[in-house]
Amino acid sequence: MAMDLNAKAAYIRGLMTGMEFDPASKNGKVIAAMMDLLEEMAATVTEHDNALDQAYDELETLDQDLDDLVADLYGEEDEDDEEDGEDLYEVTCPNCGAVSTVDEETLLDQESELVCPNCGAAFDIELEGTEEETPEDPDNQDQ
């Protein structure tokens, strides 16, 4: 973009030269001053554009460094959780209200009861979506 502005300003300056523009006339003085201003503005925009590109590059480098730092600090814990592959679930004892965690295999084993590690009470759990779901009123489904 910035180079385009400088090229356009140079093109207009070339048009003025090719048209034998008279910078000594009243109108010519105004147009010449506007052309000088246009060239200065194009140069300033080019400088700012270059500085902005440099700032974006530095910001991207800082962002990558921060990502590396976060990965170094927290990456190992995340990897350990992923390696286990076990989903843990919280279960609340109906007798004492203590919350304990069980793995998926224990949770889905319907042949054994869960035992509270706090009070020793044995209890069954009902998983959501495991009971046979029947429509409430089959006559009203198509309405």
Side-chain angles (χ1 to χ4, degrees):
M1 176 185 130
M3 293 304 288
D4 292 333
L5 292 177
N6 287 325
K8 288 177 182 179
Y11 175 74
I12 294 171
R13 177 67 75 180
L15 286 176
M16 289 173 59
T17 303
M19 294 173 51
E20 297 177 7
F21 178 75
D22 181 19
S25 69
K26 288 183 180 182
N27 290 338
K29 289 180 182 180
V30 172
I31 293 174
M34 288 172 49
M35 188 64 221
D36 291 341
L37 176 64
L38 180 63
E39 288 173 333
E40 286 179 39
M41 289 173 63
T44 301
V45 168
T46 300
E47 289 174 23
H48 289 181
D49 193 42
N50 291 339
L52 186 60
D53 286 343
Q54 182 179 358
Y56 279 136
D57 290 343
E58 291 174 7
L59 184 60
E60 186 176 332
T61 301
L62 286 172
D63 186 43
Q64 290 172 352
D65 290 345
L66 183 60
D67 287 344
D68 292 343
L69 182 61
V70 168
D72 288 345
L73 288 175
Y74 301 108
E76 293 176 13
E77 291 176 14
D78 292 341
E79 290 171 5
D80 291 342
D81 291 343
E82 290 174 11
E83 289 174 6
D84 292 342
E86 272 189 33
D87 291 327
L88 297 177
Y89 300 91
E90 290 185 349
V91 178
T92 304
C93 174
N95 187 41
C96 69
V99 177
S100 58
T101 56
V102 295
D103 63 4
E104 187 172 6
E105 185 178 331
T106 305
L107 191 65
L108 295 176
D109 185 10
Q110 302 217 355
E111 294 178 9
S112 64
E113 294 181 322
L114 294 176
V115 178
C116 177
N118 188 42
C119 69
F123 58 94
D124 287 324
I125 58 167
E126 185 177 310
L127 298 176
E128 292 180 11
T130 58
E131 14 177 316
E132 292 183 25
E133 296 181 13
T134 57
E136 292 177 12
D137 190 359
D139 296 332
N140 291 334
Q141 283 183 338
D142 295 327
Q143 292 180 359

